[in-house]
PDB file of all heavy atoms in Angstrom:
ATOM      1  N   ALA M   1      26.597  69.508   4.195  1.00 70.00           N
ATOM      2  CA  ALA M   1      25.397  70.143   3.621  1.00 70.00           C
ATOM      3  C   ALA M   1      24.155  70.066   4.541  1.00 70.00           C
ATOM      4  O   ALA M   1      23.143  69.516   4.200  1.00 70.00           O
ATOM      5  CB  ALA M   1      25.088  69.527   2.267  1.00 70.00           C
ATOM      6  N   PRO M   2      24.244  70.662   5.744  1.00 67.00           N
ATOM      7  CA  PRO M   2      23.148  70.577   6.671  1.00 67.00           C
ATOM      8  C   PRO M   2      21.885  71.255   6.148  1.00 67.00           C
ATOM      9  O   PRO M   2      20.812  71.015   6.668  1.00 67.00           O
ATOM     10  CB  PRO M   2      23.675  71.266   7.922  1.00 67.00           C
ATOM     11  CG  PRO M   2      24.705  72.191   7.399  1.00 67.00           C
ATOM     12  CD  PRO M   2      25.322  71.516   6.232  1.00 67.00           C
ATOM     13  N   TRP M   3      22.023  72.111   5.178  1.00 71.00           N
ATOM     14  CA  TRP M   3      20.888  72.875   4.643  1.00 71.00           C
ATOM     15  C   TRP M   3      20.111  72.059   3.574  1.00 71.00           C
ATOM     16  O   TRP M   3      19.066  72.495   3.147  1.00 71.00           O
ATOM     17  CB  TRP M   3      21.392  74.205   3.987  1.00 71.00           C
ATOM     18  CG  TRP M   3      22.466  73.917   3.032  1.00 71.00           C
ATOM     19  CD1 TRP M   3      22.323  73.643   1.690  1.00 71.00           C
ATOM     20  CD2 TRP M   3      23.861  73.858   3.273  1.00 71.00           C
ATOM     21  NE1 TRP M   3      23.549  73.449   1.123  1.00 71.00           N
ATOM     22  CE2 TRP M   3      24.503  73.614   2.077  1.00 71.00           C
ATOM     23  CE3 TRP M   3      24.652  74.078   4.412  1.00 71.00           C
ATOM     24  CZ2 TRP M   3      25.923  73.457   1.958  1.00 71.00           C
ATOM     25  CZ3 TRP M   3      26.002  73.956   4.301  1.00 71.00           C
ATOM     26  CH2 TRP M   3      26.623  73.665   3.101  1.00 71.00           C
ATOM     27  N   GLU M   4      20.620  70.910   3.188  1.00 81.00           N
ATOM     28  CA  GLU M   4      19.917  70.122   2.214  1.00 81.00           C
ATOM     29  C   GLU M   4      18.730  69.418   2.833  1.00 81.00           C
ATOM     30  O   GLU M   4      18.815  68.843   3.892  1.00 81.00           O
ATOM     31  CB  GLU M   4      20.832  69.062   1.590  1.00 81.00           C
ATOM     32  CG  GLU M   4      21.842  69.685   0.637  1.00 81.00           C
ATOM     33  CD  GLU M   4      22.693  68.628  -0.113  1.00 81.00           C
ATOM     34  OE1 GLU M   4      22.329  67.460  -0.016  1.00 81.00           O
ATOM     35  OE2 GLU M   4      23.645  69.069  -0.710  1.00 81.00           O
ATOM     36  N   VAL M   5      17.613  69.477   2.173  1.00 85.00           N
ATOM     37  CA  VAL M   5      16.388  68.838   2.634  1.00 85.00           C
ATOM     38  C   VAL M   5      16.508  67.339   2.454  1.00 85.00           C
ATOM     39  O   VAL M   5      16.901  66.831   1.415  1.00 85.00           O
ATOM     40  CB  VAL M   5      15.159  69.389   1.906  1.00 85.00           C
ATOM     41  CG1 VAL M   5      13.891  68.689   2.302  1.00 85.00           C
ATOM     42  CG2 VAL M   5      15.057  70.892   2.111  1.00 85.00           C
ATOM     43  N   GLN M   6      16.126  66.614   3.491  1.00 85.00           N
ATOM     44  CA  GLN M   6      16.151  65.147   3.408  1.00 85.00           C
ATOM     45  C   GLN M   6      14.953  64.672   2.625  1.00 85.00           C
ATOM     46  O   GLN M   6      13.835  65.095   2.828  1.00 85.00           O
ATOM     47  CB  GLN M   6      16.141  64.527   4.860  1.00 85.00           C
ATOM     48  CG  GLN M   6      17.293  64.944   5.695  1.00 85.00           C
ATOM     49  CD  GLN M   6      18.596  64.465   5.139  1.00 85.00           C
ATOM     50  OE1 GLN M   6      18.753  63.330   4.778  1.00 85.00           O
ATOM     51  NE2 GLN M   6      19.567  65.386   5.051  1.00 85.00           N
ATOM     52  N   PRO M   7      15.191  63.728   1.686  1.00 87.00           N
ATOM     53  CA  PRO M   7      14.070  63.161   0.916  1.00 87.00           C
ATOM     54  C   PRO M   7      13.041  62.582   1.877  1.00 87.00           C
ATOM     55  O   PRO M   7      13.365  62.035   2.913  1.00 87.00           O
ATOM     56  CB  PRO M   7      14.736  62.037   0.080  1.00 87.00           C
ATOM     57  CG  PRO M   7      16.165  62.392   0.033  1.00 87.00           C
ATOM     58  CD  PRO M   7      16.483  63.104   1.330  1.00 87.00           C
ATOM     59  N   GLU M   8      11.782  62.734   1.495  1.00 88.00           N
ATOM     60  CA  GLU M   8      10.639  62.227   2.230  1.00 88.00           C
ATOM     61  C   GLU M   8      10.367  62.988   3.551  1.00 88.00           C
ATOM     62  O   GLU M   8       9.486  62.625   4.300  1.00 88.00           O
ATOM     63  CB  GLU M   8      10.846  60.687   2.575  1.00 88.00           C
ATOM     64  CG  GLU M   8      11.165  59.818   1.380  1.00 88.00           C
ATOM     65  CD  GLU M   8      10.090  59.824   0.342  1.00 88.00           C
ATOM     66  OE1 GLU M   8       8.869  59.913   0.664  1.00 88.00           O
ATOM     67  OE2 GLU M   8      10.399  59.781  -0.874  1.00 88.00           O
ATOM     68  N   SER M   9      11.124  64.029   3.828  1.00 89.00           N
ATOM     69  CA  SER M   9      10.867  64.841   5.058  1.00 89.00           C
ATOM     70  C   SER M   9       9.660  65.757   4.782  1.00 89.00           C
ATOM     71  O   SER M   9       9.213  65.939   3.644  1.00 89.00           O
ATOM     72  CB  SER M   9      12.060  65.647   5.419  1.00 89.00           C
ATOM     73  OG  SER M   9      12.247  66.713   4.481  1.00 89.00           O
ATOM     74  N   GLU M  10       9.122  66.287   5.840  1.00 91.00           N
ATOM     75  CA  GLU M  10       8.021  67.246   5.685  1.00 91.00           C
ATOM     76  C   GLU M  10       8.416  68.434   4.844  1.00 91.00           C
ATOM     77  O   GLU M  10       7.606  68.951   4.077  1.00 91.00           O
ATOM     78  CB  GLU M  10       7.482  67.657   7.102  1.00 91.00           C
ATOM     79  CG  GLU M  10       6.843  66.536   7.842  1.00 91.00           C
ATOM     80  CD  GLU M  10       6.330  66.944   9.194  1.00 91.00           C
ATOM     81  OE1 GLU M  10       6.195  68.191   9.469  1.00 91.00           O
ATOM     82  OE2 GLU M  10       6.110  66.035  10.035  1.00 91.00           O
ATOM     83  N   LEU M  11       9.627  68.918   5.034  1.00 89.00           N
ATOM     84  CA  LEU M  11      10.106  70.051   4.204  1.00 89.00           C
ATOM     85  C   LEU M  11      10.194  69.664   2.738  1.00 89.00           C
ATOM     86  O   LEU M  11       9.911  70.483   1.857  1.00 89.00           O
ATOM     87  CB  LEU M  11      11.435  70.583   4.685  1.00 89.00           C
ATOM     88  CG  LEU M  11      11.372  71.452   5.968  1.00 89.00           C
ATOM     89  CD1 LEU M  11      12.807  71.809   6.425  1.00 89.00           C
ATOM     90  CD2 LEU M  11      10.571  72.708   5.742  1.00 89.00           C
ATOM     91  N   ALA M  12      10.601  68.443   2.446  1.00 93.00           N
ATOM     92  CA  ALA M  12      10.676  67.994   1.049  1.00 93.00           C
ATOM     93  C   ALA M  12       9.254  67.995   0.443  1.00 93.00           C
ATOM     94  O   ALA M  12       9.112  68.400  -0.721  1.00 93.00           O
ATOM     95  CB  ALA M  12      11.290  66.599   0.967  1.00 93.00           C
ATOM     96  N   VAL M  13       8.290  67.563   1.186  1.00 94.00           N
ATOM     97  CA  VAL M  13       6.929  67.545   0.724  1.00 94.00           C
ATOM     98  C   VAL M  13       6.429  68.973   0.488  1.00 94.00           C
ATOM     99  O   VAL M  13       5.859  69.330  -0.557  1.00 94.00           O
ATOM    100  CB  VAL M  13       5.971  66.819   1.723  1.00 94.00           C
ATOM    101  CG1 VAL M  13       4.517  67.017   1.361  1.00 94.00           C
ATOM    102  CG2 VAL M  13       6.324  65.348   1.806  1.00 94.00           C
ATOM    103  N   ASP M  14       6.758  69.896   1.436  1.00 93.00           N
ATOM    104  CA  ASP M  14       6.395  71.282   1.283  1.00 93.00           C
ATOM    105  C   ASP M  14       7.054  71.889   0.062  1.00 93.00           C
ATOM    106  O   ASP M  14       6.420  72.653  -0.726  1.00 93.00           O
ATOM    107  CB  ASP M  14       6.774  72.056   2.510  1.00 93.00           C
ATOM    108  CG  ASP M  14       5.909  71.735   3.746  1.00 93.00           C
ATOM    109  OD1 ASP M  14       4.835  71.152   3.530  1.00 93.00           O
ATOM    110  OD2 ASP M  14       6.317  72.064   4.839  1.00 93.00           O
ATOM    111  N   ASP M  15       8.346  71.592  -0.131  1.00 93.00           N
ATOM    112  CA  ASP M  15       9.062  72.129  -1.276  1.00 93.00           C
ATOM    113  C   ASP M  15       8.430  71.628  -2.586  1.00 93.00           C
ATOM    114  O   ASP M  15       8.296  72.409  -3.573  1.00 93.00           O
ATOM    115  CB  ASP M  15      10.539  71.707  -1.272  1.00 93.00           C
ATOM    116  CG  ASP M  15      11.354  72.585  -0.328  1.00 93.00           C
ATOM    117  OD1 ASP M  15      10.852  73.570   0.213  1.00 93.00           O
ATOM    118  OD2 ASP M  15      12.534  72.226  -0.130  1.00 93.00           O
ATOM    119  N   ALA M  16       8.030  70.376  -2.656  1.00 94.00           N
ATOM    120  CA  ALA M  16       7.410  69.845  -3.862  1.00 94.00           C
ATOM    121  C   ALA M  16       6.046  70.517  -4.115  1.00 94.00           C
ATOM    122  O   ALA M  16       5.726  70.801  -5.273  1.00 94.00           O
ATOM    123  CB  ALA M  16       7.191  68.330  -3.685  1.00 94.00           C
ATOM    124  N   GLN M  17       5.337  70.845  -3.083  1.00 94.00           N
ATOM    125  CA  GLN M  17       4.018  71.494  -3.248  1.00 94.00           C
ATOM    126  C   GLN M  17       4.141  72.945  -3.610  1.00 94.00           C
ATOM    127  O   GLN M  17       3.207  73.512  -4.202  1.00 94.00           O
ATOM    128  CB  GLN M  17       3.185  71.338  -1.991  1.00 94.00           C
ATOM    129  CG  GLN M  17       2.745  69.933  -1.718  1.00 94.00           C
ATOM    130  CD  GLN M  17       2.036  69.773  -0.401  1.00 94.00           C
ATOM    131  OE1 GLN M  17       2.030  70.621   0.430  1.00 94.00           O
ATOM    132  NE2 GLN M  17       1.370  68.633  -0.249  1.00 94.00           N
ATOM    133  N   THR M  18       5.206  73.579  -3.283  1.00 93.00           N
ATOM    134  CA  THR M  18       5.407  75.023  -3.555  1.00 93.00           C
ATOM    135  C   THR M  18       6.383  75.291  -4.735  1.00 93.00           C
ATOM    136  O   THR M  18       6.780  76.413  -4.924  1.00 93.00           O
ATOM    137  CB  THR M  18       5.910  75.768  -2.285  1.00 93.00           C
ATOM    138  OG1 THR M  18       7.130  75.235  -1.868  1.00 93.00           O
ATOM    139  CG2 THR M  18       4.827  75.708  -1.204  1.00 93.00           C
ATOM    140  N   HIS M  19       6.796  74.207  -5.429  1.00 92.00           N
ATOM    141  CA  HIS M  19       7.690  74.329  -6.562  1.00 92.00           C
ATOM    142  C   HIS M  19       7.253  75.409  -7.521  1.00 92.00           C
ATOM    143  O   HIS M  19       6.039  75.419  -7.811  1.00 92.00           O
ATOM    144  CB  HIS M  19       7.857  72.992  -7.265  1.00 92.00           C
ATOM    145  CG  HIS M  19       8.828  73.071  -8.407  1.00 92.00           C
ATOM    146  ND1 HIS M  19      10.197  73.116  -8.211  1.00 92.00           N
ATOM    147  CD2 HIS M  19       8.645  73.096  -9.729  1.00 92.00           C
ATOM    148  CE1 HIS M  19      10.788  73.185  -9.352  1.00 92.00           C
ATOM    149  NE2 HIS M  19       9.851  73.185 -10.328  1.00 92.00           N
ATOM    150  N   PRO M  20       8.011  76.298  -7.976  1.00 92.00           N
ATOM    151  CA  PRO M  20       9.451  76.372  -7.982  1.00 92.00           C
ATOM    152  C   PRO M  20      10.054  77.062  -6.702  1.00 92.00           C
ATOM    153  O   PRO M  20      11.275  77.238  -6.640  1.00 92.00           O
ATOM    154  CB  PRO M  20       9.833  77.165  -9.193  1.00 92.00           C
ATOM    155  CG  PRO M  20       8.710  78.129  -9.330  1.00 92.00           C
ATOM    156  CD  PRO M  20       7.489  77.399  -8.847  1.00 92.00           C
ATOM    157  N   TYR M  21       9.194  77.414  -5.772  1.00 90.00           N
ATOM    158  CA  TYR M  21       9.691  78.061  -4.530  1.00 90.00           C
ATOM    159  C   TYR M  21       9.980  77.004  -3.507  1.00 90.00           C
ATOM    160  O   TYR M  21       9.353  75.940  -3.510  1.00 90.00           O
ATOM    161  CB  TYR M  21       8.631  79.089  -4.038  1.00 90.00           C
ATOM    162  CG  TYR M  21       8.255  80.058  -5.086  1.00 90.00           C
ATOM    163  CD1 TYR M  21       7.031  79.941  -5.775  1.00 90.00           C
ATOM    164  CD2 TYR M  21       9.085  81.074  -5.468  1.00 90.00           C
ATOM    165  CE1 TYR M  21       6.676  80.784  -6.748  1.00 90.00           C
ATOM    166  CE2 TYR M  21       8.769  81.974  -6.478  1.00 90.00           C
ATOM    167  CZ  TYR M  21       7.564  81.835  -7.114  1.00 90.00           C
ATOM    168  OH  TYR M  21       7.236  82.704  -8.110  1.00 90.00           O
ATOM    169  N   ARG M  22      10.888  77.325  -2.584  1.00 88.00           N
ATOM    170  CA  ARG M  22      11.237  76.348  -1.573  1.00 88.00           C
ATOM    171  C   ARG M  22      10.961  76.892  -0.158  1.00 88.00           C
ATOM    172  O   ARG M  22      11.536  77.884   0.245  1.00 88.00           O
ATOM    173  CB  ARG M  22      12.717  75.985  -1.672  1.00 88.00           C
ATOM    174  CG  ARG M  22      13.026  75.216  -2.897  1.00 88.00           C
ATOM    175  CD  ARG M  22      14.431  74.734  -2.909  1.00 88.00           C
ATOM    176  NE  ARG M  22      14.664  73.881  -4.051  1.00 88.00           N
ATOM    177  CZ  ARG M  22      15.768  73.283  -4.277  1.00 88.00           C
ATOM    178  NH1 ARG M  22      16.796  73.437  -3.432  1.00 88.00           N
ATOM    179  NH2 ARG M  22      15.922  72.520  -5.356  1.00 88.00           N
ATOM    180  N   VAL M  23      10.040  76.223   0.494  1.00 88.00           N
ATOM    181  CA  VAL M  23       9.697  76.586   1.876  1.00 88.00           C
ATOM    182  C   VAL M  23      10.946  76.288   2.777  1.00 88.00           C
ATOM    183  O   VAL M  23      11.169  76.980   3.764  1.00 88.00           O
ATOM    184  CB  VAL M  23       8.475  75.804   2.362  1.00 88.00           C
ATOM    185  CG1 VAL M  23       8.187  76.036   3.825  1.00 88.00           C
ATOM    186  CG2 VAL M  23       7.284  76.136   1.528  1.00 88.00           C
ATOM    187  N   SER M  24      11.693  75.307   2.398  1.00 88.00           N
ATOM    188  CA  SER M  24      12.867  74.851   3.226  1.00 88.00           C
ATOM    189  C   SER M  24      13.875  76.004   3.396  1.00 88.00           C
ATOM    190  O   SER M  24      14.492  76.129   4.438  1.00 88.00           O
ATOM    191  CB  SER M  24      13.517  73.616   2.646  1.00 88.00           C
ATOM    192  OG  SER M  24      13.969  73.875   1.311  1.00 88.00           O
ATOM    193  N   HIS M  25      13.993  76.838   2.376  1.00 85.00           N
ATOM    194  CA  HIS M  25      14.919  77.942   2.495  1.00 85.00           C
ATOM    195  C   HIS M  25      14.499  78.923   3.589  1.00 85.00           C
ATOM    196  O   HIS M  25      15.296  79.403   4.373  1.00 85.00           O
ATOM    197  CB  HIS M  25      15.039  78.723   1.154  1.00 85.00           C
ATOM    198  CG  HIS M  25      15.832  77.972   0.105  1.00 85.00           C
ATOM    199  ND1 HIS M  25      15.714  78.273  -1.200  1.00 85.00           N
ATOM    200  CD2 HIS M  25      16.685  76.943   0.205  1.00 85.00           C
ATOM    201  CE1 HIS M  25      16.485  77.446  -1.903  1.00 85.00           C
ATOM    202  NE2 HIS M  25      17.089  76.617  -1.043  1.00 85.00           N
ATOM    203  N   ALA M  26      13.215  79.173   3.674  1.00 86.00           N
ATOM    204  CA  ALA M  26      12.693  80.047   4.715  1.00 86.00           C
ATOM    205  C   ALA M  26      12.903  79.420   6.112  1.00 86.00           C
ATOM    206  O   ALA M  26      13.276  80.074   7.051  1.00 86.00           O
ATOM    207  CB  ALA M  26      11.219  80.343   4.521  1.00 86.00           C
ATOM    208  N   ALA M  27      12.727  78.125   6.191  1.00 84.00           N
ATOM    209  CA  ALA M  27      12.944  77.426   7.437  1.00 84.00           C
ATOM    210  C   ALA M  27      14.434  77.463   7.855  1.00 84.00           C
ATOM    211  O   ALA M  27      14.764  77.714   9.010  1.00 84.00           O
ATOM    212  CB  ALA M  27      12.463  75.995   7.356  1.00 84.00           C
ATOM    213  N   TRP M  28      15.326  77.321   6.893  1.00 80.00           N
ATOM    214  CA  TRP M  28      16.750  77.358   7.156  1.00 80.00           C
ATOM    215  C   TRP M  28      17.120  78.801   7.654  1.00 80.00           C
ATOM    216  O   TRP M  28      17.913  78.926   8.592  1.00 80.00           O
ATOM    217  CB  TRP M  28      17.532  76.998   5.919  1.00 80.00           C
ATOM    218  CG  TRP M  28      19.033  77.060   6.163  1.00 80.00           C
ATOM    219  CD1 TRP M  28      19.869  78.000   5.645  1.00 80.00           C
ATOM    220  CD2 TRP M  28      19.818  76.217   6.953  1.00 80.00           C
ATOM    221  NE1 TRP M  28      21.125  77.773   6.096  1.00 80.00           N
ATOM    222  CE2 TRP M  28      21.135  76.676   6.903  1.00 80.00           C
ATOM    223  CE3 TRP M  28      19.557  75.106   7.726  1.00 80.00           C
ATOM    224  CZ2 TRP M  28      22.174  76.076   7.605  1.00 80.00           C
ATOM    225  CZ3 TRP M  28      20.572  74.480   8.405  1.00 80.00           C
ATOM    226  CH2 TRP M  28      21.860  74.980   8.362  1.00 80.00           C
ATOM    227  N   ILE M  29      16.625  79.800   6.961  1.00 82.00           N
ATOM    228  CA  ILE M  29      16.927  81.170   7.370  1.00 82.00           C
ATOM    229  C   ILE M  29      16.400  81.456   8.785  1.00 82.00           C
ATOM    230  O   ILE M  29      17.061  82.031   9.615  1.00 82.00           O
ATOM    231  CB  ILE M  29      16.354  82.172   6.335  1.00 82.00           C
ATOM    232  CG1 ILE M  29      17.127  82.067   5.035  1.00 82.00           C
ATOM    233  CG2 ILE M  29      16.372  83.591   6.899  1.00 82.00           C
ATOM    234  CD1 ILE M  29      16.499  82.773   3.890  1.00 82.00           C
ATOM    235  N   ALA M  30      15.221  80.988   9.093  1.00 82.00           N
ATOM    236  CA  ALA M  30      14.617  81.213  10.445  1.00 82.00           C
ATOM    237  C   ALA M  30      15.446  80.457  11.464  1.00 82.00           C
ATOM    238  O   ALA M  30      15.749  81.010  12.548  1.00 82.00           O
ATOM    239  CB  ALA M  30      13.184  80.714  10.439  1.00 82.00           C
ATOM    240  N   ALA M  31      15.880  79.229  11.193  1.00 76.00           N
ATOM    241  CA  ALA M  31      16.664  78.507  12.184  1.00 76.00           C
ATOM    242  C   ALA M  31      18.022  79.126  12.371  1.00 76.00           C
ATOM    243  O   ALA M  31      18.513  79.211  13.506  1.00 76.00           O
ATOM    244  CB  ALA M  31      16.830  77.025  11.680  1.00 76.00           C
ATOM    245  N   THR M  32      18.659  79.607  11.310  1.00 74.00           N
ATOM    246  CA  THR M  32      19.930  80.264  11.413  1.00 74.00           C
ATOM    247  C   THR M  32      19.793  81.540  12.222  1.00 74.00           C
ATOM    248  O   THR M  32      20.621  81.841  13.085  1.00 74.00           O
ATOM    249  CB  THR M  32      20.502  80.556  10.068  1.00 74.00           C
ATOM    250  OG1 THR M  32      20.663  79.358   9.341  1.00 74.00           O
ATOM    251  CG2 THR M  32      21.864  81.250  10.124  1.00 74.00           C
ATOM    252  N   GLY M  33      18.721  82.277  11.995  1.00 75.00           N
ATOM    253  CA  GLY M  33      18.495  83.512  12.760  1.00 75.00           C
ATOM    254  C   GLY M  33      18.223  83.212  14.218  1.00 75.00           C
ATOM    255  O   GLY M  33      18.738  83.929  15.143  1.00 75.00           O
ATOM    256  N   LEU M  34      17.529  82.127  14.491  1.00 72.00           N
ATOM    257  CA  LEU M  34      17.273  81.753  15.878  1.00 72.00           C
ATOM    258  C   LEU M  34      18.592  81.377  16.567  1.00 72.00           C
ATOM    259  O   LEU M  34      18.872  81.822  17.694  1.00 72.00           O
ATOM    260  CB  LEU M  34      16.331  80.519  15.909  1.00 72.00           C
ATOM    261  CG  LEU M  34      16.080  79.919  17.300  1.00 72.00           C
ATOM    262  CD1 LEU M  34      15.285  80.941  18.158  1.00 72.00           C
ATOM    263  CD2 LEU M  34      15.318  78.668  17.191  1.00 72.00           C
ATOM    264  N   LEU M  35      19.428  80.605  15.861  1.00 66.00           N
ATOM    265  CA  LEU M  35      20.741  80.282  16.425  1.00 66.00           C
ATOM    266  C   LEU M  35      21.590  81.507  16.633  1.00 66.00           C
ATOM    267  O   LEU M  35      22.307  81.636  17.674  1.00 66.00           O
ATOM    268  CB  LEU M  35      21.468  79.286  15.527  1.00 66.00           C
ATOM    269  CG  LEU M  35      20.950  77.875  15.589  1.00 66.00           C
ATOM    270  CD1 LEU M  35      21.634  76.992  14.508  1.00 66.00           C
ATOM    271  CD2 LEU M  35      21.171  77.271  16.938  1.00 66.00           C
ATOM    272  N   GLN M  36      21.521  82.455  15.725  1.00 65.00           N
ATOM    273  CA  GLN M  36      22.334  83.640  15.873  1.00 65.00           C
ATOM    274  C   GLN M  36      21.852  84.431  17.108  1.00 65.00           C
ATOM    275  O   GLN M  36      22.631  84.978  17.847  1.00 65.00           O
ATOM    276  CB  GLN M  36      22.206  84.531  14.658  1.00 65.00           C
ATOM    277  CG  GLN M  36      23.050  85.798  14.739  1.00 65.00           C
ATOM    278  CD  GLN M  36      22.992  86.632  13.488  1.00 65.00           C
ATOM    279  OE1 GLN M  36      22.230  86.298  12.558  1.00 65.00           O
ATOM    280  NE2 GLN M  36      23.759  87.675  13.458  1.00 65.00           N
ATOM    281  N   GLY M  37      20.537  84.477  17.349  1.00 65.00           N
ATOM    282  CA  GLY M  37      20.013  85.127  18.515  1.00 65.00           C
ATOM    283  C   GLY M  37      20.450  84.447  19.791  1.00 65.00           C
ATOM    284  O   GLY M  37      20.699  85.081  20.844  1.00 65.00           O
ATOM    285  N   TRP M  38      20.602  83.101  19.738  1.00 62.00           N
ATOM    286  CA  TRP M  38      21.059  82.353  20.891  1.00 62.00           C
ATOM    287  C   TRP M  38      22.573  82.610  21.134  1.00 62.00           C
ATOM    288  O   TRP M  38      22.984  82.744  22.298  1.00 62.00           O
ATOM    289  CB  TRP M  38      20.805  80.862  20.640  1.00 62.00           C
ATOM    290  CG  TRP M  38      21.480  79.975  21.605  1.00 62.00           C
ATOM    291  CD1 TRP M  38      21.074  79.762  22.894  1.00 62.00           C
ATOM    292  CD2 TRP M  38      22.641  79.185  21.418  1.00 62.00           C
ATOM    293  NE1 TRP M  38      21.941  78.859  23.506  1.00 62.00           N
ATOM    294  CE2 TRP M  38      22.914  78.487  22.622  1.00 62.00           C
ATOM    295  CE3 TRP M  38      23.510  78.952  20.324  1.00 62.00           C
ATOM    296  CZ2 TRP M  38      23.968  77.589  22.761  1.00 62.00           C
ATOM    297  CZ3 TRP M  38      24.527  78.115  20.446  1.00 62.00           C
ATOM    298  CH2 TRP M  38      24.778  77.448  21.654  1.00 62.00           C
ATOM    299  N   VAL M  39      23.317  82.701  20.085  1.00 57.00           N
ATOM    300  CA  VAL M  39      24.760  82.903  20.195  1.00 57.00           C
ATOM    301  C   VAL M  39      25.066  84.323  20.601  1.00 57.00           C
ATOM    302  O   VAL M  39      25.938  84.542  21.420  1.00 57.00           O
ATOM    303  CB  VAL M  39      25.464  82.531  18.854  1.00 57.00           C
ATOM    304  CG1 VAL M  39      26.935  82.903  18.931  1.00 57.00           C
ATOM    305  CG2 VAL M  39      25.341  81.063  18.595  1.00 57.00           C
ATOM    306  N   THR M  40      24.421  85.288  20.016  1.00 58.00           N
ATOM    307  CA  THR M  40      24.710  86.681  20.271  1.00 58.00           C
ATOM    308  C   THR M  40      23.439  87.401  20.700  1.00 58.00           C
ATOM    309  O   THR M  40      22.913  88.252  20.001  1.00 58.00           O
ATOM    310  CB  THR M  40      25.306  87.382  19.016  1.00 58.00           C
ATOM    311  OG1 THR M  40      24.360  87.198  17.938  1.00 58.00           O
ATOM    312  CG2 THR M  40      26.654  86.769  18.655  1.00 58.00           C
ATOM    313  N   PRO M  41      22.896  87.079  21.897  1.00 58.00           N
ATOM    314  CA  PRO M  41      21.607  87.679  22.276  1.00 58.00           C
ATOM    315  C   PRO M  41      21.647  89.206  22.392  1.00 58.00           C
ATOM    316  O   PRO M  41      20.616  89.855  22.195  1.00 58.00           O
ATOM    317  CB  PRO M  41      21.366  87.064  23.676  1.00 58.00           C
ATOM    318  CG  PRO M  41      22.687  86.562  24.164  1.00 58.00           C
ATOM    319  CD  PRO M  41      23.453  86.239  22.892  1.00 58.00           C
ATOM    320  N   ASP M  42      22.801  89.788  22.685  1.00 61.00           N
ATOM    321  CA  ASP M  42      22.885  91.240  22.765  1.00 61.00           C
ATOM    322  C   ASP M  42      22.708  91.920  21.440  1.00 61.00           C
ATOM    323  O   ASP M  42      22.396  93.085  21.338  1.00 61.00           O
ATOM    324  CB  ASP M  42      24.197  91.653  23.405  1.00 61.00           C
ATOM    325  CG  ASP M  42      24.341  91.205  24.858  1.00 61.00           C
ATOM    326  OD1 ASP M  42      23.295  90.907  25.468  1.00 61.00           O
ATOM    327  OD2 ASP M  42      25.482  91.122  25.349  1.00 61.00           O
TER     328      ASP M  42
END
């Protein structure tokens, strides 16, 4: 479950402040997109 936010992390704090929305989901999507660009730059 690499996408799970670690308790006490900055993303956990952000998620708590933006509840019911999760900032961590946007960060996960951005990181996945970045990795995809690294893997398949073309």
Side-chain angles (χ1 to χ4, degrees):
W3 53 88
E4 287 186 11
V5 176
Q6 299 298 311
E8 309 298 324
S9 70
E10 292 179 19
L11 283 175
V13 172
D14 291 342
D15 281 352
Q17 292 176 345
T18 60
H19 181 75
Y21 306 103
R22 292 187 175 182
V23 175
S24 59
H25 287 161
W28 179 252
I29 291 168
T32 302
L34 176 67
L35 285 173
Q36 182 177 4
W38 169 74
V39 171
T40 57
D42 295 339

